[in-house]
Amino acid sequence: MSINYILCLPLCREVSDSELMQSSSSDAQGGEAIPSLSLVKKKFLGKYAISAEEFSDEMVGAKSRNIAYLKGKVPSWVGIPTSVAIPFGTFEKILSDETNKEVAQNIQMLKGRLAQEDFSALGEIRKTVLNLTAPTQPVKELKEKMLSSGMPWPGDESDHRWEQAWMAIKKVWASKWNERAYFSTRKVKLDHEYLSMAVLVQEIVNADYAFVIHTTNPSSGDSSEIYAEVVKGLGETLVGAYPGRAMSFVCKKDDLDSPKVLGYPSKPIGLFIKRSIIFRSDSNGEDLEGYAGAGLYDSVPMDVEDEVVLDYTTDPLITDSGFRNSILSSIARAGHAIEELYGSPQDVEGVVKDGKIYVVQTRPQM
């Protein structure tokens, strides 16, 4: 299952693809003026894979750089997953390889249709990207970087496992042409051709719980108060379009030992996964000032998550007040520490495994 989500404040609503198409067309025809943003075209800098120590703004997006920045700077009790990345320009370099000549020609033809506002070409481009063949050198470099960073190499399990990983990588690249992403960039007049996609590669923590933290309460704007939501299992049920409510709580920054529960969870489904790898989208079109592009592109795990019917009534998060207070307080403390590190409000995503807090992503709170 592809992870494709937009983080919304409680009062936001999802905008449909058709609405985006309509608003994009009206803007193009002289409607409401939209502030013009710009993207800097990224180049392939000679490396198909890089370790976290090599992350830079020329190579990867803010998602990768933020997670690398946290390593060694957050409190020792906060875990940061090991990461490597497939940098900007790798997709274009592989597309230009002789083995992918036919794929490149087909994509070029489809881009021509897209330029003529034949938006059905978007889905066809995504399908065509999935036909890419992996040249030998990129595979070799990715294997070396993952193993040297202490991550498992899928190909060591079987050729089939590597093919699963390669398909996941291609799906991340293909998400550049998602309808929602395409029309969002068009609406704010970003040059879609200049949008580059790096891929952040992380080992998945098989979570007991997942959380999202807003270090300034988004409902009240109170900067002295942290707001967070928690669910059982992986975070897609929290940030995706899954029914039910998460557990929500607030915590004053001057009293982090006293979280206050606002609402109890009613999510009927939890997602769980075995040890696996996730390939996260990390474009140069996210976290731009004046443009909330985060969540428009896909992050894809190698393996499909298991859907489990939940019974929160027997979960210690509900039944054990001491356990609940400890977990919620630790989540609040992690958020506060990250906000202090950056010196500005943050949206933080993470998981809890065996009582330990792991932070998998942070970005400026919009």
Side-chain angles (χ1 to χ4, degrees), residues 323-344:
F323 175 84
R324 178 174 62 249
N325 196 80
S326 173
I327 293 295
L328 301 189
S329 178
S330 294
I331 290 171
R333 286 181 182 282
H336 187 234
I338 291 170
E339 181 183 59
E340 288 200 319
L341 180 62
Y342 279 96
S344 62

Side-chain angles (χ1 to χ4, degrees), residues 77-81 205 211 349-353 356-360:
W77 51 267
V78 178
I80 305 294
V205 178
F211 59 82
E349 296 176 37
V351 298
V352 182
K353 177 64 178 176
K356 183 175 176 63
I357 303 293
Y358 294 85
V359 168
V360 300

Side-chain angles (χ1 to χ4, degrees), residues 286-321:
E286 300 176 49
D287 298 326
L288 296 176
E289 186 174 352
Y291 175 61
L296 291 175
Y297 307 99
D298 290 353
S299 295
V300 185
M302 272 180 59
D303 299 283
V304 176
E305 306 96 328
D306 294 323
E307 289 195 357
V308 176
V309 177
L310 299 177
D311 179 6
Y312 275 99
T313 62
T314 60
D315 191 88
L317 202 61
I318 303 299
T319 62
D320 186 336
S321 60

Side-chain angles (χ1 to χ4, degrees), residues 207-211 231-237 270-272 310 312 351:
D208 299 320
Y209 306 100
F211 59 82
V231 294
K232 282 180 67 69
L234 298 175
E236 189 180 0
T237 59
L271 298 178
F272 297 85
L310 299 177
Y312 275 99
V351 298

Side-chain angles (χ1 to χ4, degrees), residues 4-71:
N4 185 15
Y5 57 82
I6 295 180
L7 284 176
C8 283
L9 303 185
L11 298 180
C12 286
R13 69 177 183 88
E14 275 196 5
V15 179
S16 69
D17 293 336
S18 61
E19 286 178 289
L20 281 170
M21 290 174 68
Q22 290 166 6
S23 62
S24 175
S25 297
S26 65
D27 293 333
Q29 294 167 8
E32 182 182 352
I34 298 294
S36 181
L37 302 171
S38 62
L39 293 172
V40 177
K41 190 169 187 177
K42 300 296 185 180
K43 299 177 181 178
F44 178 69
L45 296 179
K47 294 183 177 181
Y48 290 103
I50 56 175
S51 62
E53 293 74 25
E54 300 170 278
F55 290 179
S56 71
D57 59 1
E58 292 302 314
M59 304 283 272
V60 294
K63 190 179 295 180
S64 298
R65 298 196 309 273
N66 284 344
I67 207 69
Y69 180 72
L70 293 178
K71 198 88 170 177

Side-chain angles (χ1 to χ4, degrees), residues 227-273:
Y227 172 87
E229 295 184 341
V230 186
V231 294
K232 282 180 67 69
L234 298 175
E236 189 180 0
T237 59
L238 179 55
V239 296
Y242 281 78
R245 293 179 309 177
M247 170 173 276
S248 57
F249 72 94
V250 292
C251 196
K252 291 292 185 182
K253 293 173 184 175
D254 62 1
D255 190 10
L256 293 169
D257 287 328
S258 304
K260 178 183 177 184
V261 175
L262 299 180
Y264 286 92
S266 61
K267 293 274 186 183
I269 297 293
L271 298 178
F272 297 85
I273 200 167

